[in-house]
Amino acid sequence: MEKDVRIIEVKRSIFEDNDRDAARLREELREKRVFLLNLMSSPGSGKTATLLALAKALKGRVRMGVMEADIDSAVDAEKMQAAGVKCIQIHTGGMCHLDADMTRQGLYEFGLDEAELIVLENVGNLVCPAEFDTGAVKNMTILSVPEGDDKPLKYPLMYEKCDLLVVNKVDVLPYFDFDMEKVTEYARRRNPRIEILQISAKTGEGIAGLADWIVAQVREFTGVDGETRREE
């Protein structure tokens, strides 16, 4: 008689353990009054360019730091440091995402007294990063105009998990077959609560509005309304 095959749901167990760890990390961040923003997108969407523009827009408003996550290299971290933004590089050892424990290791290496806002620039990928809760307070994704307006249909989990969709490179809209109404419809079909902002990291269009959104989120989470911590 054949015996039933024993099936172990390893993936579910991994996600459940990570979700608990992520919840604990968020509480740690609340106690420390540090806002962690998880930034996800495909390679080439303009994550680093957007962060460089934000660093200028947030100066004097929120003390910002960045954790760059990549499979290899430190190219983006070097750009951030050259711009005067405190930054550390996280190498994922070949993994296409960060989980809560990896994020915690990066945060404590960075130093939780060093910034009010820490942005995790996750590995460039529209699939894996959305599957793992990093412990971030909010999730943000960037979609660039050249990528096309159908990405919320093709990669639904990314848009289901994100609080904010930033459409970047709007300066090249006249040159691409990209429908802003369609991408809005598709994204909200996946997530009716998702907020959508349009920017051009290159020209600066919309950056002030994005900075305002971030400042409002930081103040709400940390309970600090007004002056930022004094910079050393």
Side-chain angles (χ1 to χ4, degrees):
M1 180 182 292
E2 293 184 3
K3 294 183 178 180
D4 292 338
V5 176
R6 186 182 180 190
I7 300 174
I8 302 172
E9 297 289 349
V10 176
K11 185 175 182 182
R12 180 181 177 187
S13 175
I14 290 172
F15 285 157
E16 287 178 350
D17 289 345
N18 183 72
D19 288 347
R20 286 192 290 269
D21 197 19
R24 287 193 294 268
L25 179 55
R26 266 187 291 275
E27 285 306 309
E28 293 173 37
L29 292 170
R30 189 182 298 277
E31 291 174 5
K32 293 286 188 179
R33 291 186 171 182
V34 174
F35 185 95
L36 176 63
L37 177 64
N38 180 28
L39 173 56
M40 301 178 284
S41 75
S42 62
S45 66
K47 291 190 297 296
T48 304
T50 298
L51 290 179
L52 288 169
L54 276 172
K56 295 179 181 178
L58 292 171
K59 190 171 184 180
R61 302 180 70 188
V62 171
R63 198 145 50 97
M64 171 183 165
V66 175
M67 299 195 304
E68 295 283 355
D70 287 294
I71 293 173
D72 204 349
S73 87
V75 174
D76 293 336
E78 290 168 359
K79 290 179 182 177
M80 298 305 303
Q81 287 196 162
V85 180
K86 180 171 181 181
C87 183
I88 64 168
Q89 180 72 54
I90 301 173
H91 283 165
T92 64
M95 299 180 72
C96 60
H97 67 275
L98 262 68
D99 60 20
D101 183 61
M102 296 163 71
T103 302
R104 177 183 279 106
Q105 292 179 53
L107 284 168
Y108 280 88
E109 184 66 28
F110 182 95
L112 290 180
D113 294 325
E114 297 297 316
E116 297 159 285
L117 164 68
I118 300 177
V119 182
L120 169 60
E121 184 176 341
N122 216 315
V123 181
N125 190 316
L126 286 176
V127 181
C128 301
E131 294 183 333
F132 287 84
D133 189 342
T134 60
V137 183
K138 295 289 183 179
N139 295 308
M140 166 180 157
T141 186
I142 296 178
L143 172 63
S144 66
V145 168
E147 293 176 80
D149 52 31
D150 59 355
K151 292 301 175 289
L153 299 180
K154 293 183 175 182
Y155 303 95
L157 187 62
M158 177 63 68
Y159 297 88
E160 291 169 7
K161 295 292 186 179
C162 282
D163 303 281
L164 177 66
L165 163 60
V166 173
V167 181
N168 188 25
K169 304 185 183 180
V170 295
D171 53 302
V172 299
L173 270 171
Y175 309 104
F176 287 89
D177 185 16
F178 187 99
D179 191 319
M180 197 66 70
E181 290 185 1
K182 282 185 179 180
V183 80
T184 300
E185 175 194 343
Y186 297 155
R188 289 193 171 141
R189 186 184 301 176
R190 300 303 188 189
N191 180 358
R193 296 177 301 279
I194 196 168
E195 297 187 61
I196 302 173
L197 296 175
Q198 301 176 31
I199 70 164
S200 168
K202 181 177 181 178
T203 68
E205 179 182 349
I207 293 296
L210 176 56
D212 288 344
W213 185 90
I214 290 173
V215 169
Q217 301 300 318
V218 172
R219 288 177 178 170
E220 180 180 353
F221 180 74
T222 63
V224 177
D225 186 11
E227 294 183 3
T228 64
R229 299 172 191 170
R230 183 176 300 174
E231 295 189 23
E232 297 180 358

